[in-house]
Amino acid sequence: MGAQKDHSEDSEVVKVIISTLRGSTDGRSLKIKELRKSVLLQLNCASDDKDAKKRFKKAVQGLESSKRLSLSEDGICKLKKSEIKKEKKSKKRKKDTEVVSESLDESPDTPPSKKPTVGDVKEDDGHDQQNDSGEREAPIKKNIPCKGNPTGVTRLFVGNLPFAVDEASLKAFLLDSEGRGEITHIKWITDKETGRFYGSAFIEVATSKDGAVAMAKNGQSLMGRDIKLNYAPAREGDIWPPRNNVVTGGQAQSKGIKSMSEKPDGCCKLFIGNLSYDIDDDATHKFFGTVDAEVKAIRWIHHKDSGDFKGVGFVEFWNTESCEKAATLNGKNLLGRPIRIDW
């Protein structure tokens, strides 16, 4: 059973590596350190997770020995041309299958479609078309390859985000000067246990051109931090995009707010997580004061070795009624972060 689990985990790492490289700017290569960081985040592993690093290294070595990718002396990991061709063939087979499926769905009584003449054929330049009234019509497909997005990907990974970032500030940052670059979904990546924000997210954009607009912001500064962006096509089996426009957590959950456990009798204390690193006692008192829940005591949790704040804590109230009022704020924003609350 253990060997079978290890094989399954390695297979998962391989899939993420291939997907990340295909989602890179040139569609095939990344620096090994950037690749590892992106892969570990997508696997919801900490950047200093030694076991995860070993799995990544083993997967890269396996891909290199099977000649699916190459690793240069200057640390550039690049997909082999045969792997790129394999992906193109896979997409072509999928497209052909869809065409056959559509033809089978047509009614026998339906007359064959009129073949376009040479004058009718127009090259799809990725721009919206105008109808007779002069209004813009949406493009037929959202994943059309375009300049800056050669593979037509609409899912992106965003890293090195400031902890004060929120939905509004991220969307505003990724727009271009003409207001283009519509983001339809955001998934904030947080620790499964503590709710701590990892400073990264996955986003879905409306079209491939919006993806190119967002990618142009790679390396630019948001709240004093240089943002990192990569194309990150969804893996097979992923629930993407999520049902809600904004979700929080290691997985793309159907709801952004995690449900609370059952309240213990007479409980006067709450766990609070996914906290901003700018949090302090005063901000916490004011936050719970909005629902008339008076705080008695606060205990912040820190790492034993480093002393770093974990982004979580415990808040005690004077009575169980105040505790219940405070619990109603689960999922509400505190210093730009959706707070996680539990008994």
Side-chain angles (χ1 to χ4, degrees):
M1 289 293 289
Q4 188 176 9
K5 182 180 178 183
D6 289 343
H7 176 75
S8 175
E9 288 180 346
D10 290 343
S11 176
E12 180 72 1
V13 177
V14 167
K15 287 181 181 178
V16 179
I17 289 172
I18 297 295
S19 174
T20 304
L21 287 172
R22 285 175 178 160
S24 63
T25 304
D26 65 357
R28 64 180 299 196
S29 64
L30 273 175
K31 290 182 179 178
I32 188 69
K33 289 185 178 180
E34 291 181 12
L35 176 62
R36 183 179 66 190
K37 185 175 181 180
S38 179
V39 168
L40 293 188
L41 283 168
Q42 291 183 62
L43 292 171
N44 203 27
C45 298
S47 59
D48 57 353
D49 188 325
K50 292 183 180 179
D51 290 335
K53 285 183 177 180
K54 287 180 181 178
R55 285 171 56 201
F56 172 81
K57 183 178 179 180
K58 183 179 177 182
V60 169
Q61 289 173 339
L63 287 167
E64 195 174 10
S65 63
S66 61
K67 298 182 179 180
R68 297 178 68 183
L69 61 74
S70 62
L71 182 59
S72 65
E73 292 182 359
D74 54 351
I76 302 296
C77 207
K78 181 182 289 185
L79 285 176
K80 293 285 189 178
K81 289 184 178 180
S82 57
E83 192 66 28
I84 302 295
K85 290 178 180 178
K86 189 190 300 182
E87 171 68 5
K88 289 180 178 179
K89 287 180 180 179
S90 176
K91 287 183 177 180
K92 186 177 186 302
R93 282 197 299 270
K94 184 178 179 182
K95 184 177 180 181
D96 291 343
T97 302
E98 290 174 352
V99 170
V100 171
S101 176
E102 288 175 4
S103 64
L104 289 174
D105 289 339
E106 288 183 0
S107 169
D109 298 329
T110 303
S113 302
K114 177 187 174 183
K115 292 184 179 179
T117 62
V118 176
D120 293 330
V121 178
K122 291 184 179 180
E123 183 180 347
D124 192 342
D125 61 359
H127 291 278
D128 297 348
Q129 303 298 320
Q130 285 188 337
N131 58 23
D132 294 337
S133 63
E135 296 177 346
R136 289 286 178 182
E137 294 179 346
I140 298 173
K141 295 181 180 179
K142 65 181 288 185
N143 298 104
I144 300 173
C146 63
K147 184 178 180 181
N149 191 351
T151 54
V153 176
T154 55
R155 182 177 186 258
L156 290 85
F157 171 79
V158 191
N160 202 38
L161 290 166
F163 290 104
V165 73
D166 57 14
E167 179 187 357
S169 58
L170 180 60
K171 286 185 173 182
F173 171 74
L174 293 176
L175 290 175
D176 67 7
S177 58
E178 297 179 14
R180 295 175 301 188
E182 180 187 355
I183 298 176
T184 60
H185 298 78
I186 300 175
K187 185 183 81 171
W188 305 110
I189 302 178
T190 59
D191 186 276
K192 290 180 181 178
E193 300 299 325
T194 65
R196 177 185 177 186
F197 180 46
Y198 278 145
S200 52
F202 287 103
I203 63 170
E204 177 73 10
V205 292
T207 68
S208 55
K209 292 190 71 176
D210 291 322
V213 168
M215 182 58 75
K217 295 297 182 78
N218 184 36
Q220 294 189 27
S221 179
L222 172 62
M223 300 181 190
R225 304 194 69 166
D226 294 338
I227 303 304
K228 298 183 181 300
L229 286 116
N230 284 317
Y231 289 117
R235 294 166 290 168
E236 186 176 350
D238 279 352
I239 301 174
W240 189 266
R243 294 177 185 175
N244 283 18
N245 296 107
V246 180
V247 295
T248 301
Q251 303 294 327
Q253 306 160 2
S254 60
K255 293 184 179 180
I257 302 172
K258 186 174 180 180
S259 58
M260 296 177 64
S261 57
E262 186 177 351
K263 180 194 174 189
D265 291 338
C267 180
C268 293
K269 186 183 291 185
L270 290 174
F271 165 85
I272 54 175
N274 195 36
L275 300 171
S276 165
Y277 285 81
D278 295 324
I279 192 68
D280 57 20
D281 288 11
D282 288 341
T284 307
H285 277 274
K286 290 178 182 178
F287 179 70
F288 288 113
T290 60
V291 290
D292 296 323
E294 189 177 355
V295 175
K296 180 180 180 181
I298 302 172
R299 180 164 65 93
W300 306 117
I301 307 301
H302 298 80
H303 285 283
K304 291 181 181 179
D305 298 330
S306 65
D308 292 338
F309 177 47
K310 282 189 171 183
V312 301
F314 292 91
V315 181
E316 186 178 357
F317 299 87
W318 289 99
N319 52 58
T320 189
E321 290 77 15
S322 292
C323 195
E324 287 180 355
K325 290 179 182 178
T328 63
L329 296 175
N330 183 31
K332 301 297 183 182
N333 275 353
L334 172 57
L335 299 182
R337 301 283 299 279
I339 187 173
R340 177 187 163 206
I341 297 176
D342 209 346
W343 305 107

